[in-house]
Amino acid sequence: MRAVIAYAIMTAITLAILLKRFGGRIETGDKQSTEYPEGAGAGIITACILFLLCVLAAVAWPLLPVIWAVMAYRRGENG
């Protein structure tokens, strides 16, 4: 349980540092252009797909050793 709490604290600190460091740059970039360029739709779709792939990878990451163990067990049973 202590490891989970330590991980959550470190994640919050890292996120706060990143937001402080890069948040101002994002705001100034948004103020400069109020219109989206014509090709922005493809970029937004790409970002959404990459986000979904990252979420799936994050969910699957802890399960990979279990999947590999099951596959190795079945391979050993068959042969």
Side-chain angles (χ1 to χ4, degrees):
M1 186 66 171
R2 289 182 193 170
V4 173
I5 294 171
Y7 181 77
I9 291 171
M10 291 304 295
T11 303
I13 291 171
T14 304
L15 182 62
I17 291 171
L18 289 173
L19 286 176
K20 183 178 180 187
R21 180 137 177 106
F22 297 108
R25 294 181 187 171
I26 292 171
E27 285 181 14
T28 57
D30 287 344
K31 290 179 183 175
Q32 290 176 355
S33 64
T34 56
E35 249 179 63
Y36 288 110
E38 289 184 23
I44 291 172
I45 290 171
T46 303
C48 291
I49 290 171
L50 287 175
F51 175 75
L52 289 174
L53 288 174
C54 289
V55 168
L56 288 173
V59 169
W61 183 257
L63 296 177
L64 285 177
V66 174
I67 293 170
W68 290 341
V70 169
M71 287 173 53
Y73 177 75
R74 287 188 180 173
R75 180 175 283 176
E77 266 185 1
N78 293 337

